[in-house]
Protein backbone atom coordinates (compact mmCIF):
# COMPACT_ATOMS: atom_id res chain seq x y z
CA UNK A 1 0.00 0.00 0.00
CA UNK A 2 2.67 2.36 1.02
CA UNK A 3 5.98 1.51 -0.56
CA UNK A 4 6.05 4.65 -2.73
CA UNK A 5 7.25 6.63 0.28
CA UNK A 6 9.89 4.17 1.38
CA UNK A 7 13.53 5.20 1.61
CA UNK A 8 15.92 7.63 3.19
CA UNK A 9 14.70 11.06 4.34
CA UNK A 10 16.98 13.56 6.06
CA UNK A 11 15.16 15.50 8.79
CA UNK A 12 15.89 18.85 7.17
CA UNK A 13 17.76 21.53 9.12
CA UNK A 14 16.06 24.91 8.87
CA UNK A 15 18.69 27.51 7.90
CA UNK A 16 18.35 30.74 9.86
CA UNK A 17 20.22 34.02 9.90
CA UNK A 18 21.50 35.70 13.06
CA UNK A 19 18.04 37.22 13.61
CA UNK A 20 16.36 33.82 13.32
CA UNK A 21 14.93 34.58 9.91
CA UNK A 22 14.59 31.71 7.43
CA UNK A 23 17.30 31.74 4.72
CA UNK A 24 15.86 30.23 1.50
CA UNK A 25 19.19 30.24 -0.38
CA UNK A 26 20.92 27.92 2.07
CA UNK A 27 17.83 25.71 2.21
CA UNK A 28 17.97 25.34 -1.57
CA UNK A 29 21.64 24.44 -1.67
CA UNK A 30 21.30 21.98 1.22
CA UNK A 31 18.37 20.30 -0.51
CA UNK A 32 20.22 20.02 -3.82
CA UNK A 33 23.19 18.55 -1.99
CA UNK A 34 21.03 15.91 -0.31
CA UNK A 35 19.17 15.07 -3.51
CA UNK A 36 22.41 14.66 -5.42
CA UNK A 37 23.52 12.16 -2.78
CA UNK A 38 20.45 10.12 -3.77
CA UNK A 39 18.00 10.53 -0.89
CA UNK A 40 14.35 9.73 -1.54
CA UNK A 41 13.04 13.00 -0.16
CA UNK A 42 13.17 15.09 2.95
CA UNK A 43 11.16 15.63 6.12
CA UNK A 44 10.85 19.31 7.02
CA UNK A 45 10.03 21.31 10.14
CA UNK A 46 10.18 18.37 12.55
CA UNK A 47 12.17 18.30 15.79
CA UNK A 48 15.45 18.73 13.90
CA UNK A 49 14.04 21.59 11.80
CA UNK A 50 12.41 23.11 14.92
CA UNK A 51 9.04 23.36 13.18
CA UNK A 52 7.18 23.99 16.42
CA UNK A 53 9.32 27.03 17.15
CA UNK A 54 9.16 28.59 13.69
CA UNK A 55 6.60 31.24 12.79
CA UNK A 56 3.91 29.86 10.49
CA UNK A 57 5.15 32.22 7.80
CA UNK A 58 8.54 30.51 7.76
CA UNK A 59 7.03 27.03 7.85
CA UNK A 60 5.12 27.91 4.70
CA UNK A 61 8.18 29.53 3.13
CA UNK A 62 10.18 26.38 3.76
CA UNK A 63 7.69 24.26 1.80
CA UNK A 64 7.39 26.84 -0.97
CA UNK A 65 11.17 27.08 -1.28
CA UNK A 66 11.88 23.36 -1.41
CA UNK A 67 8.93 22.02 -3.36
CA UNK A 68 9.93 23.38 -6.79
CA UNK A 69 13.34 21.69 -6.45
CA UNK A 70 12.15 18.24 -5.40
CA UNK A 71 12.17 16.88 -9.00
CA UNK A 72 9.99 13.91 -8.23
CA UNK A 73 11.43 13.24 -4.79
CA UNK A 74 9.06 13.38 -1.83
CA UNK A 75 8.52 16.19 0.64
CA UNK A 76 7.09 15.14 4.00
CA UNK A 77 5.93 18.13 6.01
CA UNK A 78 5.76 18.07 9.78
CA UNK A 79 2.70 20.14 10.66
CA UNK A 80 2.65 19.59 14.42
CA UNK A 81 1.58 22.83 16.13
CA UNK A 82 0.19 24.04 19.44
CA UNK A 83 -3.35 24.05 18.05
CA UNK A 84 -5.12 21.63 15.74
CA UNK A 85 -6.31 24.56 13.61
CA UNK A 86 -2.74 25.56 12.79
CA UNK A 87 -1.83 21.95 12.03
CA UNK A 88 -4.78 21.61 9.63
CA UNK A 89 -3.87 24.92 8.02
CA UNK A 90 -0.32 23.71 7.42
CA UNK A 91 -1.60 20.37 6.10
CA UNK A 92 -3.73 22.18 3.53
CA UNK A 93 -0.82 24.39 2.59
CA UNK A 94 1.46 21.37 2.14
CA UNK A 95 -1.13 19.67 -0.05
CA UNK A 96 -1.63 22.74 -2.19
CA UNK A 97 2.09 22.90 -2.89
CA UNK A 98 2.51 19.25 -3.81
CA UNK A 99 3.97 17.61 -0.71
CA UNK A 100 3.64 13.84 -0.48
CA UNK A 101 2.53 13.46 3.13
CA UNK A 102 2.23 15.23 6.44
CA UNK A 103 3.43 14.18 9.85
CA UNK A 104 2.92 15.43 13.37
CA UNK A 105 4.27 14.96 16.84
CA UNK A 106 1.50 14.26 19.31
CA UNK A 107 0.16 17.40 21.03
CA UNK A 108 0.80 18.00 24.72
CA UNK A 109 -1.86 16.37 26.85
CA UNK A 110 -3.20 12.98 27.77
CA UNK A 111 -3.82 10.08 25.43
CA UNK A 112 -7.45 11.08 24.82
CA UNK A 113 -6.36 14.50 23.60
CA UNK A 114 -3.73 12.85 21.44
CA UNK A 115 -6.32 10.58 19.84
CA UNK A 116 -8.68 13.50 19.18
CA UNK A 117 -5.87 15.55 17.65
CA UNK A 118 -4.78 12.77 15.30
CA UNK A 119 -8.41 11.92 14.42
CA UNK A 120 -9.12 15.49 13.37
CA UNK A 121 -5.83 15.93 11.56
CA UNK A 122 -6.19 12.65 9.64
CA UNK A 123 -9.74 13.39 8.60
CA UNK A 124 -9.14 17.01 7.61
CA UNK A 125 -5.78 16.61 5.91
CA UNK A 126 -5.85 16.15 2.15
CA UNK A 127 -2.50 14.32 2.49
CA UNK A 128 -1.86 11.03 4.27
CA UNK A 129 -0.63 11.36 7.84
CA UNK A 130 2.51 9.86 9.31
CA UNK A 131 2.25 9.68 13.10
CA UNK A 132 5.32 10.52 15.16
CA UNK A 133 6.01 8.01 17.90
CA UNK A 134 8.73 9.46 20.12
CA UNK A 135 8.20 8.29 23.71
CA UNK A 136 11.35 10.00 24.97
CA UNK A 137 9.94 13.41 24.02
CA UNK A 138 6.22 12.64 24.47
CA UNK A 139 6.16 9.95 27.18
CA UNK A 140 2.47 10.35 28.04
CA UNK A 141 1.04 10.49 24.53
CA UNK A 142 0.07 6.82 24.50
CA UNK A 143 -0.76 4.86 27.64
CA UNK A 144 -0.01 1.58 25.91
CA UNK A 145 0.89 0.26 22.48
CA UNK A 146 -2.75 -0.58 21.71
CA UNK A 147 -3.59 3.12 21.72
CA UNK A 148 -0.93 3.74 19.10
CA UNK A 149 -2.18 0.78 17.05
CA UNK A 150 -5.76 2.07 17.21
CA UNK A 151 -4.71 5.47 15.85
CA UNK A 152 -2.75 3.71 13.09
CA UNK A 153 -6.03 2.09 12.04
CA UNK A 154 -7.74 5.44 11.42
CA UNK A 155 -8.49 6.31 7.79
CA UNK A 156 -5.77 8.39 6.08
CA UNK A 157 -3.07 7.34 8.57
CA UNK A 158 -0.26 6.02 6.42
CA UNK A 159 2.34 5.08 8.96
CA UNK A 160 4.65 6.04 11.77
CA UNK A 161 7.93 7.84 12.21
CA UNK A 162 9.15 5.55 14.94
CA UNK A 163 11.80 7.06 17.21
CA UNK A 164 12.27 4.35 19.77
CA UNK A 165 14.28 1.19 20.29
CA UNK A 166 11.24 -1.08 20.76
CA UNK A 167 11.63 -3.03 17.52
CA UNK A 168 9.06 -5.59 18.58
CA UNK A 169 6.40 -2.86 18.51
CA UNK A 170 7.81 -1.53 15.24
CA UNK A 171 7.40 -4.98 13.69
CA UNK A 172 3.84 -5.34 15.01
CA UNK A 173 2.93 -2.13 13.21
CA UNK A 174 4.62 -3.25 9.99
CA UNK A 175 2.65 -6.49 10.10
CA UNK A 176 -0.57 -4.50 10.28
CA UNK A 177 0.28 -2.81 6.99
CA UNK A 178 1.64 0.50 8.24
CA UNK A 179 4.60 2.24 6.66
CA UNK A 180 7.33 2.49 9.28
CA UNK A 181 10.21 4.95 9.26
CA UNK A 182 13.04 4.22 11.63
CA UNK A 183 13.73 7.29 13.79
CA UNK A 184 16.92 6.64 15.72
CA UNK A 185 19.81 6.94 13.26
CA UNK A 186 21.88 4.80 15.63
CA UNK A 187 19.68 1.82 14.79
CA UNK A 188 18.54 2.22 11.17
CA UNK A 189 19.86 -1.22 10.20
CA UNK A 190 18.00 -2.82 13.11
CA UNK A 191 14.77 -1.04 12.21
CA UNK A 192 15.07 -2.15 8.59
CA UNK A 193 15.77 -5.72 9.70
CA UNK A 194 12.50 -5.66 11.65
CA UNK A 195 10.57 -4.39 8.66
CA UNK A 196 10.81 -0.59 8.56
CA UNK A 197 10.59 0.57 4.95
CA UNK A 198 12.78 3.61 5.44
CA UNK A 199 14.31 6.05 7.85
CA UNK A 200 14.03 9.71 8.77
CA UNK A 201 16.95 11.18 10.65
CA UNK A 202 18.82 14.29 11.64
CA UNK A 203 22.32 12.98 10.96
CA UNK A 204 21.27 12.03 7.42
CA UNK A 205 22.06 15.71 6.73
CA UNK A 206 25.70 15.01 7.57
CA UNK A 207 26.18 11.64 5.89
CA UNK A 208 23.27 10.78 3.60
CA UNK A 209 25.47 8.43 1.56
CA UNK A 210 26.15 6.26 4.61
CA UNK A 211 22.46 5.79 5.40
CA UNK A 212 21.80 5.06 1.72
CA UNK A 213 24.45 2.32 1.88
CA UNK A 214 22.62 0.80 4.85
CA UNK A 215 19.26 1.08 3.11
CA UNK A 216 20.43 -0.45 -0.16
CA UNK A 217 22.26 -3.26 1.60
CA UNK A 218 19.08 -4.00 3.57
CA UNK A 219 17.00 -4.04 0.39
CA UNK A 220 19.30 -6.76 -0.91
CA UNK A 221 19.20 -8.69 2.34
CA UNK A 222 22.92 -8.04 2.78
CA UNK A 223 22.72 -7.57 6.55
CA UNK A 224 26.44 -7.90 7.06
CA UNK A 225 27.10 -4.83 4.89
CA UNK A 226 24.24 -2.99 6.59
CA UNK A 227 25.75 -3.78 10.00
CA UNK A 228 29.23 -2.61 8.96
CA UNK A 229 27.98 0.76 7.66
CA UNK A 230 25.75 1.19 10.70
CA UNK A 231 28.75 0.69 12.91
CA UNK A 232 30.68 3.34 10.95
CA UNK A 233 27.74 5.76 11.16
CA UNK A 234 27.65 5.16 14.89
CA UNK A 235 31.30 6.10 15.28
CA UNK A 236 30.27 9.52 13.95
CA UNK A 237 27.19 9.59 16.20
CA UNK A 238 29.44 8.76 19.16
CA UNK A 239 31.23 12.05 18.49
CA UNK A 240 28.15 14.19 17.81
CA UNK A 241 26.27 12.91 20.85
CA UNK A 242 29.06 13.99 23.21
CA UNK A 243 28.23 17.63 22.41
CA UNK A 244 25.01 19.68 22.54
CA UNK A 245 23.43 17.72 19.70
CA UNK A 246 21.63 20.28 17.52
CA UNK A 247 24.43 22.87 17.73
CA UNK A 248 26.83 20.05 16.83
CA UNK A 249 24.81 19.17 13.74
CA UNK A 250 24.84 22.80 12.64
CA UNK A 251 28.56 23.19 13.24
CA UNK A 252 29.33 20.13 11.17
CA UNK A 253 27.04 21.29 8.37
CA UNK A 254 28.63 24.76 8.42
CA UNK A 255 32.00 23.09 7.95
CA UNK A 256 30.50 21.29 4.93
CA UNK A 257 29.51 24.65 3.43
CA UNK A 258 25.92 24.88 4.62
CA UNK A 259 25.69 27.65 7.15
CA UNK A 260 22.39 27.00 8.92
CA UNK A 261 22.94 29.65 11.58
CA UNK A 262 21.72 29.55 15.18
CA UNK A 263 18.88 27.53 16.64
CA UNK A 264 15.44 29.01 17.36
CA UNK A 265 15.71 27.44 20.79
CA UNK A 266 18.87 29.43 21.52
CA UNK A 267 20.70 26.21 22.39
CA UNK A 268 24.43 26.60 21.71
CA UNK A 269 27.84 25.31 22.65
CA UNK A 270 29.03 26.30 26.10
CA UNK A 271 32.08 27.98 24.52
CA UNK A 272 33.92 28.32 21.23
CA UNK A 273 36.45 25.87 22.63
CA UNK A 274 33.73 23.24 22.74
CA UNK A 275 32.78 24.02 19.13
CA UNK A 276 36.41 23.69 18.01
CA UNK A 277 36.85 20.49 19.99
CA UNK A 278 33.94 18.91 18.14
CA UNK A 279 35.34 19.73 14.71
CA UNK A 280 38.77 18.62 15.78
CA UNK A 281 37.36 15.33 16.99
CA UNK A 282 35.50 14.86 13.72
CA UNK A 283 38.74 15.42 11.83
CA UNK A 284 40.61 12.92 13.96
CA UNK A 285 38.04 10.20 14.56
CA UNK A 286 35.62 10.05 11.66
CA UNK A 287 36.09 6.56 10.14
CA UNK A 288 38.15 6.72 6.94
CA UNK A 289 35.46 4.97 4.90
CA UNK A 290 32.90 7.57 5.97
CA UNK A 291 35.27 10.50 5.37
CA UNK A 292 35.91 9.21 1.88
CA UNK A 293 32.28 8.53 1.06
CA UNK A 294 30.97 11.89 2.24
CA UNK A 295 34.12 13.77 1.23
CA UNK A 296 34.87 15.10 4.68
CA UNK A 297 37.96 17.27 4.43
CA UNK A 298 39.85 17.75 7.62
CA UNK A 299 40.68 21.38 8.43
CA UNK A 300 44.36 20.59 8.82
CA UNK A 301 44.72 18.50 5.67
CA UNK A 302 46.62 20.08 2.83
O1 LIG B 1 13.74 11.10 14.98
C1 LIG B 1 15.84 12.16 15.23
N1 LIG B 1 15.40 12.68 16.48
C2 LIG B 1 15.60 13.97 16.79
C3 LIG B 1 14.76 11.45 14.54
O2 LIG B 1 16.21 14.70 16.09
C4 LIG B 1 15.05 14.47 18.06
C5 LIG B 1 17.07 11.26 15.23
O3 LIG B 1 17.62 11.39 13.96
C6 LIG B 1 18.09 11.59 16.29
O4 LIG B 1 18.41 12.93 16.23
C7 LIG B 1 19.38 10.79 16.15
C8 LIG B 1 20.37 11.04 17.29
O5 LIG B 1 19.92 10.45 18.47
O6 LIG B 1 19.09 9.45 16.06
Amino acid sequence: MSTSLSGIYPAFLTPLDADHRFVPKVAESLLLHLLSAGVDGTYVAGSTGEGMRLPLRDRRALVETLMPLMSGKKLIVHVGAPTIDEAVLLANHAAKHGAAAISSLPPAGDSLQVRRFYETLASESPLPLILYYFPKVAPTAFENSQELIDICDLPNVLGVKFTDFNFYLLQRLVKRGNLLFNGYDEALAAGLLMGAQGGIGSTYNVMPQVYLKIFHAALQGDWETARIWQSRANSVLDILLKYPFFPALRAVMARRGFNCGPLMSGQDFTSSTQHDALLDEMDRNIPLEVAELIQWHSATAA
Side-chain angles (χ1 to χ4, degrees), residues 201-249:
S202 56
T203 63
Y204 298 10
N205 285 284
V206 176
M207 41 183 175
Q209 301 90 339
V210 174
Y211 294 104
L212 284 160
K213 285 262 187 209
I214 296 170
F215 183 66
H216 291 134
L219 277 184
Q220 291 169 5
D222 182 357
W223 298 108
E224 178 63 5
T225 300
R227 188 185 61 75
I228 290 170
W229 280 103
Q230 181 72 67
S231 163
R232 291 172 181 154
N234 290 0
S235 298
V236 178
L237 277 150
D238 290 345
I239 303 172
L240 295 172
L241 290 167
K242 278 207 270 178
Y243 295 87
F245 183 66
F246 289 124
L249 272 182

Side-chain angles (χ1 to χ4, degrees), residues 47-48 132 134 161 163 183-186 200-202 237 241 245-246:
S47 1
T48 303
Y132 196 158
F134 197 173
K161 175 183 195 294
T163 305
Y184 275 130
D185 307 354
E186 300 86 320
I200 297 169
S202 56
L237 277 150
L241 290 167
F245 183 66
F246 289 124

Side-chain angles (χ1 to χ4, degrees), residues 131-270:
L131 309 176
Y132 196 158
Y133 181 64
F134 197 173
K136 196 175 147 210
V137 161
T140 56
F142 309 97
E143 268 172 34
N144 50 56
S145 23
Q146 192 56 46
E147 289 185 349
L148 173 63
I149 290 170
D150 289 344
I151 299 179
C152 282
D153 285 344
L154 291 171
N156 205 28
V157 173
L158 177 64
V160 185
K161 175 183 195 294
F162 192 95
T163 305
D164 192 29
F165 292 112
N166 182 350
F167 297 108
Y168 169 52
L169 176 57
L170 180 149
Q171 188 185 56
R172 284 174 69 197
L173 295 167
V174 171
K175 282 157 85 174
R176 299 175 63 83
N178 289 113
L179 177 68
L180 267 285
F181 291 97
N182 186 79
Y184 275 130
D185 307 354
E186 300 86 320
L188 174 63
L192 295 171
L193 177 68
M194 292 298 266
Q197 294 97 329
I200 297 169
S202 56
T203 63
Y204 298 10
N205 285 284
V206 176
M207 41 183 175
Q209 301 90 339
V210 174
Y211 294 104
L212 284 160
K213 285 262 187 209
I214 296 170
F215 183 66
H216 291 134
L219 277 184
Q220 291 169 5
D222 182 357
W223 298 108
E224 178 63 5
T225 300
R227 188 185 61 75
I228 290 170
W229 280 103
Q230 181 72 67
S231 163
R232 291 172 181 154
N234 290 0
S235 298
V236 178
L237 277 150
D238 290 345
I239 303 172
L240 295 172
L241 290 167
K242 278 207 270 178
Y243 295 87
F245 183 66
F246 289 124
L249 272 182
R250 284 173 179 258
V252 165
M253 292 311 288
R255 164 69 93 71
R256 313 222 61 201
F258 305 99
N259 187 357
C260 295
L263 281 149
M264 288 300 289
S265 69
Q267 195 196 10
D268 203 352
F269 293 103
T270 53

